[in-house]
Amino acid sequence: MAPTRLVVLISGSGSNLQAIIDACERGEINGHIAAVISNKADAYGLERAKQAGIATKVLSHKDFDSREAYDAQLMNVIDSFMPNLVVLAGFMRILTPSLVQKYVGKMLNIHPSLLPKYQGLNTHQRAIDAKDDVHGVSVHFVTEELDGGPVILQAQIPVLKDDTAETLAKRVHEQEHIIYPLVVKWFSEQRLTMEADYAVLDEKQLPAHGAHYPQ
């Protein structure tokens, strides 16, 4: 099967981007990253991409007078690289419905909570404040509902009694770097699709909370 062309969108350090770059270079993902796009020129992830010989593009949201105008141009930039899959890896923008619909079933996001818990920001502190025993991370298809698309895979970690938001985030990141490349691998092997409001892996509908890593 033909290699999957990926476009990765970032706003920050790009640690999940690096995990996907590494998985591509090891041959674990049947694909390659065609481009990395950021809304911030100082995002370190752009340097990671350049070091790996990947094309980069900066499209600052500050240059546009509306979210709709920005996303319209963002779609043009994404499409210029002809991706099969768009990967959101710390892209800190709420997407317009028109952009989401254009890539429905072909756009992934990673969110640092066990969805549907703690959509939005400050997930680690919210888990601590709620006295949760477990916390984690979810990879999901993107839909118009913020952090609300079909969950594909989750990884859990225990919440320790002396955890802070920072220590919890560090351990969650370790899991992110495992499960995000794995989901991209499944997609690249044409094993993963989105049907209606659920994810399908190996022709089997996944439960609402997705599969659990390790399976």
Side-chain angles (χ1 to χ4, degrees), residues 125-165:
Q125 189 61 52
R126 289 159 71 190
I128 291 170
D129 292 346
K131 296 182 168 52
D132 289 349
D133 293 326
V134 294
H135 184 46
V137 57
S138 307
V139 179
H140 65 95
F141 283 110
V142 176
T143 62
E144 291 180 35
E145 181 188 353
L146 179 65
D147 302 324
V151 177
I152 302 160
L153 184 62
Q154 293 184 328
Q156 294 185 354
I157 61 166
V159 180
L160 308 177
K161 66 177 185 297
D162 58 349
D163 262 327
T164 63

Side-chain angles (χ1 to χ4, degrees), residues 8 41 58 60-61 63 65 77 105 125 133 139 147 150 157 179 186:
V8 183
V58 175
S60 175
H61 55 279
D63 296 337
D65 58 8
V77 175
Q125 189 61 52
D133 293 326
V139 179
D147 302 324
I157 61 166
I179 69 169
W186 289 344

Side-chain angles (χ1 to χ4, degrees), residues 61-81:
H61 55 279
K62 295 178 181 178
D63 296 337
F64 295 83
D65 58 8
S66 71
R67 196 175 293 277
E68 289 73 20
Y70 179 83
D71 278 9
Q73 182 57 28
L74 179 59
M75 284 186 273
N76 289 336
V77 175
I78 292 171
D79 288 350
S80 72
F81 294 102

Side-chain angles (χ1 to χ4, degrees), residues 72-114:
Q73 182 57 28
L74 179 59
M75 284 186 273
N76 289 336
V77 175
I78 292 171
D79 288 350
S80 72
F81 294 102
M82 298 181 292
N84 308 110
L85 178 66
V86 179
V87 178
L88 305 181
F91 188 61
M92 303 304 289
R93 297 276 302 164
I94 295 175
L95 304 175
T96 56
S98 58
L99 188 147
V100 170
Q101 284 302 320
K102 183 177 179 64
Y103 303 110
V104 69
K106 297 180 180 179
M107 181 181 280
L108 301 175
N109 185 43
I110 191 161
H111 183 73
S113 78
L114 297 173

Side-chain angles (χ1 to χ4, degrees), residues 14-26:
S15 64
N16 277 304
L17 165 65
Q18 188 66 58
I20 294 169
I21 290 172
D22 293 345
C24 287
E25 291 180 347
R26 290 193 300 264

